[in-house]
């Protein structure tokens, strides 16, 4: 069931066209008013915090002991798998992380703390301005320990928020070109109208470096597809279908639920190398005491 905040968001976007320009204007209006920002949790998702921490120690990220009833979610008895992310610096080169739809930049600050040159991207100039302010003193507050001493000796990387359309190339040069070593999608895909999903997958595949990793926080997995969006329902099947054949349309049933298929991988396909239900996440992803968010990690086939 959609929450009151989700209903309010859906109403705000209901009259807008499903184009990046119209959708971007809708988000910018909300950021300009700054009185209704329900997606702003005040800090990075604990699931990402735990993933980065475990990756640096070669341990499996902590996962939930409870069964997640979402179709396509990992089985509760699945064997924990260590997630190997690119190191922040190698061969004299600092690696790059991209966070599309970064909001105030909490995730950007976190990747920077781990030594990556971290680039947030916002279609909203007002959101980017809020991120610029936050990144001047990132980590101050309850979670400041998550931003200190995590770089493994590489030193903190850059933490920058760029303004641009994710699907346009104008901003890419400001980040030193494509080929991002990590791309993190947290409430970005779920904010896009479903008609833009194939375009999202193709763009992600083209921006990800050959040895890079895409990290997806799958949310909201529990929301009925019929309730609309944003945020649009995003069970694990959505990512699995989109990323096996980036750029191609996917199938939906009469209720708007993505249909799982046996299609073979196509050009630019990404393969899932890890999939788990995190032990911790933001409260909005916990339903009746059960974590319903999932984390998936992808790489080029």
């Amino acid at each position: 069931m959609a929450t009151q905040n989700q209903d309010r968001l859906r109403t705000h976007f209901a009259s807008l066209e499903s184009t990046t320009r119209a959708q971007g204007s809708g988000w910018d209006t909300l950021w300009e008013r700054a009185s209704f920002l329900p997606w702003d949790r005040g800090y990075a998702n604990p699931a990402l915090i735990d993933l980065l921490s475990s990756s640096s120690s070669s341990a499996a990220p902590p996962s939930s002991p409870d069964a997640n009833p979402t179709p396509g979610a990992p089985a509760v008895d699945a064997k924990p798998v260590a997630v190997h992310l690119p190191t922040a610096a190698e061969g004299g080169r600092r690696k790059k992380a991209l966070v599309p739809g970064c909001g105030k930049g909490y995730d950007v600050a976190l990747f920077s703390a781990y030594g990556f040159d971290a680039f947030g991207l916002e279609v909203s100039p007002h959101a980017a301005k809020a991120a610029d302010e936050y990144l001047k003193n990132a980590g101050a507050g309850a979670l400041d320990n998550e931003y200190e001493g995590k770089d493994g000796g590489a030193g903190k990387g850059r933490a920058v928020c760029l303004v641009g359309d994710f699907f346009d190339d104008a901003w890419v040069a400001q980040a030193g070109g494509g080929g991002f070593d990590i791309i993190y999608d947290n409430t970005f895909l779920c904010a896009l109208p479903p008609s833009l999903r194939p375009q999202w997958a193709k763009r992600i595949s083209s921006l990800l470096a050959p040895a890079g990793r895409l990290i997806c926080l799958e949310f909201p997995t529990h929301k009925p597809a019929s309730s609309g969006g944003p945020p649009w329902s995003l069970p694990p099947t959505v990512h699995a279908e989109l990323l096996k054949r980036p750029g191609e349309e996917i199938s939906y049933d009469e209720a708007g639920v993505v249909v799982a298929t046996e299609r073979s991988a196509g050009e630019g396909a990404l393969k899932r190398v890890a999939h788990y239900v995190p032990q911790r996440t933001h409260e909005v992803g916990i339903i009746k005491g059960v974590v319903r968010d999932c984390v998936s990690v992808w790489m080029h086939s």
Side-chain angles (χ1 to χ4, degrees):
M1 175 176 277
T3 66
Q4 185 176 10
N5 282 341
Q6 290 171 353
D7 285 338
R8 185 174 170 184
L9 265 181
R10 184 187 68 240
T11 300
H12 175 76
F13 283 91
S15 63
L16 300 179
E17 296 179 358
S18 295
T19 63
T20 55
R21 180 183 293 274
Q23 295 289 307
S25 176
W27 291 110
D28 193 48
T29 296
L30 292 174
W31 278 104
E32 181 180 16
R33 295 171 182 169
S35 58
F36 178 65
L37 304 173
W39 58 86
D40 188 340
R41 315 293 175 199
Y43 53 91
N45 193 299
L48 177 63
I49 292 172
D50 290 345
L51 173 57
L52 291 177
S53 178
S54 64
S55 176
S56 63
S57 65
S58 297
S63 57
S64 171
D66 302 315
N68 183 337
T70 303
V76 68
D77 59 351
K79 183 179 179 181
V81 176
V83 178
H84 301 290
L85 300 177
T87 55
E90 188 175 23
R93 183 179 78 88
R94 194 180 290 273
K95 304 291 182 66
K96 298 191 302 180
L98 173 67
V99 184
C102 68
K104 287 187 180 177
Y106 307 121
D107 307 316
V108 177
L110 190 62
F111 281 114
S112 169
Y114 273 80
F116 294 91
D117 276 344
F119 298 91
L121 180 65
E122 264 299 338
V123 70
S124 163
H126 289 93
K129 182 178 180 181
D132 289 342
E133 288 300 314
Y134 170 75
L135 292 172
K136 289 178 182 177
N137 190 27
L143 295 179
D144 57 353
N145 62 311
E146 300 295 346
Y147 300 87
E148 300 297 333
K150 307 290 186 178
D151 55 41
K156 285 188 177 182
R158 298 174 63 193
V160 179
C161 181
L162 306 175
V163 179
D165 182 339
F166 176 71
F167 300 104
D168 185 76
D169 285 334
W171 59 271
V172 178
Q174 299 177 59
F180 292 94
D181 302 284
I182 291 181
I183 301 178
Y184 176 54
D185 187 303
N186 173 33
T187 69
F188 180 63
L189 177 58
C190 73
L192 297 175
S195 61
L196 293 176
R197 287 173 172 176
Q199 193 176 347
W200 169 89
K202 185 174 183 179
R203 182 66 163 163
I204 284 286
S205 176
S206 68
L207 289 173
L208 188 66
R213 296 292 186 274
L214 166 67
I215 304 169
C216 296
L217 194 291
E218 298 170 348
F219 164 90
T221 69
H222 59 281
K223 186 182 178 186
S226 59
S227 63
W232 299 87
S233 175
L234 208 65
T237 312
V238 177
H239 290 88
E241 286 298 307
L242 286 172
L243 294 172
K244 68 171 64 173
R245 300 185 75 88
E248 293 190 10
E249 296 291 338
I250 56 178
S251 300
Y252 298 84
D253 66 16
E254 62 279 0
V257 178
V258 173
V259 177
T261 69
E262 297 300 323
R263 295 181 303 161
S264 60
E267 183 179 354
L270 302 184
K271 63 179 181 180
R272 192 167 61 189
V273 294
H275 195 210
Y276 62 96
V277 179
Q279 186 178 76
R280 301 193 301 157
T281 191
H282 283 311
E283 189 173 327
V284 70
I286 302 174
I287 310 300
K288 296 182 179 179
V290 177
V291 175
R292 298 295 293 272
D293 290 349
C294 298
V295 176
S296 56
V297 182
W298 306 78
M299 64 181 292
H300 284 287
S301 297

